[in-house]
Amino acid sequence: MQKYILLISAVTALCWLSYTYGKTKAKTEIIEKQVEIVRYETKEVCKIMSRPNLDDDNIVKLFRAGRL
């Protein structure tokens, strides 16, 4: 009887540890993707702002065209 209780508790602990490890791994992946998106957006903003004579109307046109 004690063997079964020990076996069940070991399997339960293994499942819980696997779940928590997978959850933290998923959060790390999401954060890495968000950092990559921020870097890409920053690079694109720098490219757009470096263009000469860029005013608000041109920025809105580029945004609607999907270039921002």
Side-chain angles (χ1 to χ4, degrees):
M1 183 70 175
Q2 291 178 352
K3 284 183 180 180
Y4 294 121
I5 293 174
L6 184 61
L7 181 66
I8 290 172
S9 60
V11 169
T12 304
L14 181 64
C15 291
W16 181 76
L17 289 173
S18 300
Y19 171 75
T20 55
Y21 176 73
K23 191 174 176 182
T24 56
K25 190 79 167 172
K27 285 181 182 180
T28 303
E29 185 175 328
I30 290 171
I31 290 171
E32 287 175 359
K33 286 183 180 180
Q34 288 175 349
V35 168
E36 290 175 8
I37 290 170
V38 169
R39 287 182 185 159
Y40 174 75
E41 288 177 353
T42 304
K43 189 187 307 181
E44 291 298 316
V45 167
C46 290
K47 285 181 187 177
I48 291 170
M49 296 306 273
S50 66
R51 294 181 184 173
N53 299 327
L54 190 64
D55 59 355
D56 290 338
D57 293 333
N58 289 335
I59 292 173
V60 171
K61 287 179 186 177
L62 289 172
F63 183 72
R64 288 185 179 158
R67 294 185 185 172
L68 287 183

Coordinates of all heavy atoms in Angstrom, one line a residue:
M1 N 0.8 -1.2 0.0 CA 0.0 0.0 0.0 C 0.9 1.3 0.0 O 0.6 2.2 -0.7 CB -0.9 0.0 1.2 CG -1.9 1.1 1.3 SD -3.1 0.9 0.0 CE -4.2 2.2 0.4
Q2 N 1.9 1.2 0.8 CA 2.8 2.4 0.8 C 3.6 2.6 -0.5 O 3.9 3.7 -0.8 CB 3.8 2.2 2.0 CG 3.2 2.3 3.4 CD 4.2 2.1 4.5 OE1 5.4 1.8 4.2 NE2 3.8 2.3 5.7
K3 N 3.8 1.5 -1.2 CA 4.5 1.6 -2.5 C 3.6 2.4 -3.5 O 4.1 3.2 -4.2 CB 4.8 0.2 -3.1 CG 5.9 -0.5 -2.5 CD 6.1 -1.8 -3.2 CE 7.2 -2.6 -2.6 NZ 7.4 -3.9 -3.4
Y4 N 2.3 2.1 -3.5 CA 1.4 2.7 -4.4 C 1.2 4.2 -4.0 O 1.2 5.0 -4.9 CB 0.0 2.0 -4.3 CG 0.0 0.6 -4.9 CD1 -0.3 -0.5 -4.1 CD2 0.5 0.4 -6.2 CE1 -0.3 -1.7 -4.6 CE2 0.5 -0.9 -6.7 CZ 0.1 -2.0 -5.9 OH 0.1 -3.2 -6.4
I5 N 1.2 4.5 -2.8 CA 1.1 5.9 -2.4 C 2.4 6.7 -2.8 O 2.3 7.8 -3.3 CB 0.8 6.0 -0.9 CG1 -0.5 5.5 -0.5 CG2 1.0 7.5 -0.4 CD1 -0.8 5.4 1.0
L6 N 3.5 6.1 -2.6 CA 4.8 6.7 -3.0 C 4.8 6.9 -4.5 O 5.3 7.9 -5.0 CB 5.9 5.9 -2.5 CG 7.3 6.4 -2.7 CD1 7.5 7.7 -2.0 CD2 8.4 5.4 -2.2
L7 N 4.4 5.8 -5.2 CA 4.4 5.9 -6.7 C 3.5 7.0 -7.2 O 3.8 7.8 -8.1 CB 4.0 4.5 -7.3 CG 4.0 4.4 -8.8 CD1 5.4 4.6 -9.3 CD2 3.4 3.1 -9.2
I8 N 2.3 7.1 -6.7 CA 1.3 8.1 -7.1 C 1.8 9.5 -6.8 O 1.7 10.4 -7.6 CB -0.1 7.8 -6.5 CG1 -0.7 6.5 -7.1 CG2 -1.0 9.0 -6.6 CD1 -1.9 6.1 -6.4
S9 N 2.4 9.6 -5.6 CA 2.9 11.0 -5.3 C 4.1 11.3 -6.1 O 4.3 12.5 -6.5 CB 3.3 11.0 -3.8 OG 4.3 10.1 -3.5
A10 N 5.0 10.4 -6.5 CA 6.1 10.7 -7.4 C 5.6 11.1 -8.8 O 6.2 12.0 -9.4 CB 7.0 9.5 -7.4
V11 N 4.6 10.4 -9.3 CA 4.1 10.7 -10.6 C 3.4 12.0 -10.6 O 3.6 12.8 -11.5 CB 3.1 9.6 -11.1 CG1 2.4 10.0 -12.3 CG2 3.9 8.3 -11.3
T12 N 2.7 12.3 -9.5 CA 2.1 13.6 -9.4 C 3.1 14.8 -9.3 O 3.0 15.8 -10.0 CB 1.2 13.7 -8.1 OG1 0.3 12.6 -8.2 CG2 0.4 15.0 -8.0
A13 N 4.2 14.5 -8.6 CA 5.2 15.6 -8.5 C 5.9 15.8 -9.8 O 6.2 16.9 -10.2 CB 6.2 15.1 -7.4
L14 N 6.1 14.7 -10.6 CA 6.8 14.8 -11.9 C 5.9 15.6 -12.8 O 6.4 16.4 -13.6 CB 7.0 13.4 -12.4 CG 7.7 13.3 -13.8 CD1 9.1 13.9 -13.7 CD2 7.8 11.9 -14.2
C15 N 4.6 15.3 -12.8 CA 3.6 16.0 -13.7 C 3.6 17.5 -13.3 O 3.6 18.3 -14.2 CB 2.2 15.4 -13.6 SG 2.1 13.8 -14.3
W16 N 3.6 17.8 -12.1 CA 3.6 19.2 -11.6 C 4.8 19.9 -12.0 O 4.8 21.1 -12.5 CB 3.4 19.3 -10.1 CG 3.3 20.7 -9.6 CD1 2.2 21.6 -9.7 CD2 4.3 21.4 -9.0 NE1 2.6 22.8 -9.2 CE2 3.8 22.7 -8.7 CE3 5.6 21.1 -8.6 CZ2 4.6 23.6 -8.0 CZ3 6.4 22.0 -7.9 CH2 5.9 23.3 -7.7
L17 N 6.0 19.3 -11.9 CA 7.3 19.9 -12.2 C 7.4 20.1 -13.8 O 7.8 21.2 -14.2 CB 8.4 19.1 -11.8 CG 8.7 19.1 -10.3 CD1 9.8 18.0 -9.9 CD2 9.1 20.4 -9.8
S18 N 6.9 19.2 -14.5 CA 6.9 19.3 -16.0 C 6.0 20.5 -16.4 O 6.3 21.2 -17.3 CB 6.4 18.0 -16.6 OG 7.2 17.0 -16.3
Y19 N 4.8 20.6 -15.8 CA 3.9 21.7 -16.1 C 4.5 23.0 -15.8 O 4.5 23.9 -16.6 CB 2.6 21.5 -15.3 CG 1.7 22.7 -15.4 CD1 1.0 22.9 -16.6 CD2 1.5 23.5 -14.4 CE1 0.1 24.0 -16.7 CE2 0.7 24.6 -14.5 CZ 0.0 24.8 -15.7 OH -0.9 25.9 -15.8
T20 N 5.1 23.2 -14.6 CA 5.7 24.5 -14.3 C 6.9 24.8 -15.1 O 7.1 26.0 -15.5 CB 6.1 24.5 -12.8 OG1 7.0 23.4 -12.5 CG2 4.9 24.4 -11.9
Y21 N 7.7 23.8 -15.5 CA 8.8 24.1 -16.4 C 8.4 24.5 -17.8 O 8.9 25.5 -18.3 CB 9.7 22.8 -16.5 CG 10.8 23.0 -17.5 CD1 11.9 23.8 -17.2 CD2 10.8 22.4 -18.7 CE1 13.0 23.9 -18.1 CE2 11.8 22.5 -19.6 CZ 12.9 23.3 -19.3 OH 13.9 23.5 -20.2
G22 N 7.4 23.9 -18.3 CA 6.8 24.3 -19.6 C 6.2 25.6 -19.6 O 6.3 26.4 -20.5
K23 N 5.6 26.0 -18.5 CA 4.9 27.3 -18.3 C 6.0 28.4 -18.3 O 5.8 29.4 -19.0 CB 4.1 27.3 -17.0 CG 3.2 28.5 -16.9 CD 2.4 28.3 -15.6 CE 1.5 29.5 -15.4 NZ 0.7 29.4 -14.1
T24 N 7.1 28.2 -17.6 CA 8.1 29.2 -17.6 C 8.9 29.3 -18.9 O 9.3 30.4 -19.3 CB 9.2 29.0 -16.4 OG1 9.7 27.6 -16.6 CG2 8.5 29.0 -15.1
K25 N 9.0 28.2 -19.6 CA 9.6 28.2 -20.9 C 8.8 29.0 -21.9 O 9.3 29.7 -22.7 CB 9.8 26.7 -21.3 CG 10.7 26.5 -22.5 CD 12.1 26.6 -22.2 CE 12.9 26.1 -23.4 NZ 14.3 26.3 -23.2
A26 N 7.5 28.8 -21.8 CA 6.6 29.5 -22.7 C 6.7 31.0 -22.5 O 6.7 31.8 -23.4 CB 5.2 29.0 -22.6
K27 N 6.7 31.4 -21.2 CA 6.8 32.9 -20.9 C 8.1 33.5 -21.4 O 8.2 34.6 -22.0 CB 6.8 33.1 -19.4 CG 5.4 33.0 -18.8 CD 5.4 33.2 -17.3 CE 4.0 33.0 -16.7 NZ 4.0 33.3 -15.3
T28 N 9.2 32.7 -21.3 CA 10.5 33.2 -21.8 C 10.4 33.4 -23.4 O 10.9 34.4 -23.9 CB 11.6 32.2 -21.5 OG1 11.6 31.9 -20.1 CG2 12.9 32.6 -22.0
E29 N 9.8 32.5 -24.1 CA 9.7 32.6 -25.5 C 8.8 33.8 -25.9 O 9.2 34.5 -26.8 CB 9.0 31.3 -26.1 CG 9.0 31.2 -27.6 CD 8.5 29.9 -28.1 OE1 8.7 28.9 -27.4 OE2 7.8 29.9 -29.1
I30 N 7.7 34.0 -25.2 CA 6.9 35.2 -25.5 C 7.6 36.5 -25.3 O 7.6 37.4 -26.1 CB 5.6 35.1 -24.6 CG1 4.7 34.0 -25.1 CG2 4.9 36.4 -24.7 CD1 3.5 33.7 -24.2
I31 N 8.4 36.6 -24.2 CA 9.2 37.8 -23.9 C 10.2 38.0 -25.0 O 10.4 39.1 -25.4 CB 9.8 37.7 -22.5 CG1 8.7 37.8 -21.4 CG2 10.8 38.8 -22.3 CD1 9.1 37.5 -20.0
E32 N 10.9 36.9 -25.4 CA 11.9 37.1 -26.5 C 11.3 37.6 -27.7 O 11.9 38.5 -28.4 CB 12.6 35.7 -26.7 CG 13.6 35.4 -25.6 CD 14.2 34.0 -25.8 OE1 13.8 33.3 -26.8 OE2 15.0 33.6 -25.0
K33 N 10.1 37.1 -28.1 CA 9.4 37.6 -29.3 C 9.0 39.0 -29.2 O 9.2 39.8 -30.1 CB 8.2 36.7 -29.6 CG 8.5 35.4 -30.1 CD 7.3 34.6 -30.5 CE 7.7 33.2 -31.0 NZ 6.5 32.4 -31.4
Q34 N 8.6 39.5 -28.0 CA 8.2 40.8 -27.8 C 9.4 41.7 -27.9 O 9.3 42.8 -28.5 CB 7.5 41.0 -26.4 CG 6.2 40.4 -26.4 CD 5.6 40.5 -25.0 OE1 6.2 40.8 -24.0 NE2 4.3 40.2 -24.9
V35 N 10.6 41.3 -27.4 CA 11.8 42.1 -27.5 C 12.2 42.3 -29.0 O 12.6 43.3 -29.4 CB 12.9 41.5 -26.7 CG1 14.3 42.1 -27.0 CG2 12.6 41.6 -25.2
E36 N 12.1 41.2 -29.8 CA 12.4 41.2 -31.2 C 11.5 42.2 -31.9 O 11.9 43.0 -32.8 CB 12.3 39.9 -31.8 CG 13.4 38.9 -31.4 CD 13.2 37.5 -31.9 OE1 12.3 37.3 -32.8 OE2 14.0 36.6 -31.5
I37 N 10.2 42.2 -31.6 CA 9.3 43.1 -32.2 C 9.6 44.6 -31.9 O 9.6 45.5 -32.7 CB 7.8 42.8 -31.8 CG1 7.4 41.5 -32.4 CG2 6.8 43.9 -32.2 CD1 6.1 40.9 -31.9
V38 N 9.9 44.8 -30.6 CA 10.3 46.2 -30.2 C 11.5 46.7 -31.0 O 11.6 47.8 -31.4 CB 10.5 46.3 -28.7 CG1 11.1 47.6 -28.3 CG2 9.2 46.1 -28.0
R39 N 12.5 45.8 -31.1 CA 13.7 46.2 -31.9 C 13.4 46.5 -33.3 O 13.9 47.4 -33.9 CB 14.8 45.0 -31.8 CG 15.4 44.9 -30.4 CD 16.4 43.8 -30.4 NE 17.0 43.6 -29.1 CZ 17.6 42.5 -28.7 NH1 17.7 41.5 -29.5 NH2 18.0 42.4 -27.5
Y40 N 12.6 45.7 -33.9 CA 12.2 45.9 -35.3 C 11.4 47.2 -35.5 O 11.7 48.0 -36.4 CB 11.3 44.7 -35.8 CG 10.8 45.0 -37.2 CD1 11.6 44.8 -38.3 CD2 9.4 45.3 -37.4 CE1 11.1 45.0 -39.6 CE2 8.9 45.5 -38.7 CZ 9.8 45.4 -39.8 OH 9.3 45.6 -41.0
E41 N 10.5 47.5 -34.6 CA 9.7 48.7 -34.6 C 10.7 49.9 -34.4 O 10.5 51.0 -35.1 CB 8.6 48.8 -33.6 CG 7.5 47.8 -33.9 CD 6.4 47.8 -32.8 OE1 6.6 48.4 -31.8 OE2 5.4 47.2 -33.1
T42 N 11.6 49.9 -33.5 CA 12.5 51.0 -33.3 C 13.4 51.2 -34.5 O 13.6 52.4 -34.9 CB 13.5 50.6 -32.1 OG1 12.7 50.3 -31.0 CG2 14.4 51.8 -31.8
K43 N 13.8 50.1 -35.2 CA 14.6 50.3 -36.4 C 13.8 51.0 -37.5 O 14.3 51.8 -38.2 CB 15.1 48.9 -36.9 CG 16.1 49.0 -38.0 CD 16.4 47.6 -38.5 CE 16.9 46.6 -37.5 NZ 17.2 45.3 -38.1
E44 N 12.5 50.5 -37.7 CA 11.7 51.1 -38.7 C 11.4 52.6 -38.4 O 11.4 53.4 -39.3 CB 10.4 50.3 -38.8 CG 10.6 48.9 -39.4 CD 11.2 49.0 -40.8 OE1 10.7 49.8 -41.6 OE2 12.1 48.2 -41.1
V45 N 11.2 52.9 -37.1 CA 10.9 54.3 -36.8 C 12.1 55.2 -37.1 O 12.0 56.3 -37.6 CB 10.5 54.4 -35.3 CG1 10.5 55.9 -34.8 CG2 9.1 53.8 -35.1
C46 N 13.3 54.7 -36.8 CA 14.5 55.4 -37.1 C 14.7 55.7 -38.6 O 15.1 56.7 -39.1 CB 15.7 54.7 -36.6 SG 15.9 54.8 -34.8
K47 N 14.3 54.6 -39.4 CA 14.4 54.8 -40.9 C 13.4 55.9 -41.4 O 13.8 56.7 -42.2 CB 14.1 53.5 -41.6 CG 15.2 52.4 -41.5 CD 14.7 51.2 -42.2 CE 15.7 50.1 -42.1 NZ 15.2 48.8 -42.8
I48 N 12.2 55.8 -40.8 CA 11.2 56.8 -41.3 C 11.5 58.2 -40.8 O 11.4 59.1 -41.6 CB 9.8 56.3 -40.8 CG1 9.4 55.1 -41.5 CG2 8.8 57.4 -41.0 CD1 8.2 54.4 -40.9
M49 N 12.0 58.3 -39.6 CA 12.3 59.7 -39.1 C 13.5 60.3 -39.8 O 13.7 61.5 -39.8 CB 12.5 59.6 -37.6 CG 11.2 59.2 -36.9 SD 9.8 60.2 -37.3 CE 10.0 61.6 -36.1
S50 N 14.4 59.4 -40.4 CA 15.6 60.0 -41.0 C 15.3 60.5 -42.4 O 16.1 61.2 -43.0 CB 16.6 58.9 -41.1 OG 16.2 57.8 -42.0
R51 N 14.1 60.3 -42.9 CA 13.7 60.8 -44.2 C 13.5 62.3 -44.1 O 13.0 62.8 -43.1 CB 12.4 60.2 -44.7 CG 12.6 58.7 -45.0 CD 11.3 58.1 -45.5 NE 11.4 56.7 -45.7 CZ 10.3 55.9 -46.0 NH1 9.1 56.5 -46.1 NH2 10.5 54.6 -46.2
P52 N 13.9 63.0 -45.1 CA 13.8 64.5 -45.1 C 12.3 64.9 -45.3 O 11.6 64.2 -46.0 CB 14.7 65.0 -46.2 CG 14.8 63.9 -47.1 CD 14.7 62.6 -46.3
N53 N 11.9 66.0 -44.7 CA 10.6 66.7 -44.9 C 9.5 65.7 -44.6 O 8.5 65.6 -45.3 CB 10.5 67.2 -46.3 CG 11.5 68.3 -46.6 OD1 11.9 69.0 -45.7 ND2 11.9 68.3 -47.8
L54 N 9.6 65.0 -43.5 CA 8.5 64.1 -43.1 C 7.6 64.8 -42.2 O 8.0 65.1 -41.1 CB 9.1 62.8 -42.5 CG 8.2 61.6 -42.2 CD1 7.6 61.1 -43.6 CD2 8.9 60.5 -41.5
D55 N 6.3 64.9 -42.6 CA 5.4 65.6 -41.7 C 4.3 64.6 -41.3 O 4.3 63.4 -41.6 CB 4.7 66.8 -42.3 CG 4.0 66.5 -43.7 OD1 4.1 65.3 -44.1 OD2 3.4 67.4 -44.2
D56 N 3.3 65.0 -40.5 CA 2.3 64.2 -39.9 C 1.4 63.5 -41.0 O 1.1 62.3 -40.9 CB 1.4 64.9 -39.0 CG 2.1 65.3 -37.7 OD1 3.1 64.7 -37.4 OD2 1.7 66.3 -37.0
D57 N 1.1 64.2 -42.1 CA 0.3 63.6 -43.2 C 1.0 62.5 -43.8 O 0.4 61.4 -44.1 CB 0.0 64.7 -44.2 CG -1.0 65.8 -43.6 OD1 -1.7 65.5 -42.7 OD2 -0.9 66.9 -44.1
N58 N 2.3 62.6 -44.1 CA 3.1 61.5 -44.7 C 3.2 60.3 -43.8 O 3.1 59.2 -44.2 CB 4.5 62.0 -45.1 CG 4.4 63.0 -46.2 OD1 3.5 62.9 -47.0 ND2 5.4 63.8 -46.3
I59 N 3.3 60.6 -42.5 CA 3.3 59.5 -41.5 C 2.0 58.7 -41.5 O 2.0 57.5 -41.5 CB 3.7 60.0 -40.1 CG1 5.1 60.6 -40.1 CG2 3.5 58.9 -39.1 CD1 5.5 61.3 -38.8
V60 N 0.9 59.4 -41.6 CA -0.4 58.8 -41.6 C -0.6 58.0 -42.9 O -1.1 56.8 -42.9 CB -1.5 59.8 -41.4 CG1 -2.9 59.2 -41.7 CG2 -1.5 60.5 -40.1
K61 N -0.1 58.5 -44.0 CA -0.2 57.8 -45.3 C 0.6 56.5 -45.2 O 0.2 55.4 -45.7 CB 0.3 58.6 -46.4 CG -0.7 59.7 -46.8 CD -0.1 60.6 -47.9 CE -1.0 61.8 -48.2 NZ -0.4 62.7 -49.3
L62 N 1.8 56.6 -44.7 CA 2.7 55.4 -44.6 C 2.1 54.4 -43.6 O 2.1 53.2 -43.8 CB 4.1 55.8 -44.1 CG 5.0 56.5 -45.0 CD1 6.2 57.0 -44.3 CD2 5.3 55.7 -46.2
F63 N 1.4 54.8 -42.5 CA 0.8 53.9 -41.6 C -0.4 53.2 -42.2 O -0.5 52.0 -42.0 CB 0.3 54.8 -40.3 CG -0.3 53.9 -39.3 CD1 0.6 53.1 -38.5 CD2 -1.6 53.9 -39.0 CE1 0.0 52.3 -37.5 CE2 -2.2 53.1 -38.0 CZ -1.3 52.3 -37.3
R64 N -1.2 53.9 -43.0 CA -2.3 53.3 -43.6 C -1.9 52.4 -44.7 O -2.6 51.4 -45.0 CB -3.3 54.4 -44.2 CG -4.0 55.1 -43.0 CD -5.0 56.1 -43.6 NE -5.7 56.8 -42.5 CZ -6.2 57.9 -42.5 NH1 -6.3 58.6 -43.7 NH2 -6.8 58.4 -41.5
A65 N -0.8 52.6 -45.3 CA -0.3 51.8 -46.4 C 0.4 50.5 -45.8 O 0.7 49.6 -46.6 CB 0.7 52.5 -47.3
G66 N 0.6 50.5 -44.5 CA 1.1 49.3 -43.9 C 2.6 49.3 -43.9 O 3.3 48.2 -43.7
R67 N 3.3 50.4 -44.1 CA 4.7 50.4 -44.1 C 5.3 50.7 -42.7 O 6.5 50.6 -42.5 CB 5.2 51.5 -45.1 CG 4.9 51.2 -46.5 CD 5.5 52.2 -47.4 NE 5.1 51.9 -48.8 CZ 5.4 52.7 -49.8 NH1 6.0 53.8 -49.6 NH2 5.0 52.3 -51.0
L68 N 4.4 51.1 -41.8 CA 4.9 51.4 -40.4 C 4.7 50.2 -39.6 O 3.7 49.5 -39.6 CB 4.2 52.6 -39.8 CG 4.6 53.9 -40.3 CD1 3.8 55.0 -39.5 CD2 6.0 54.2 -40.1

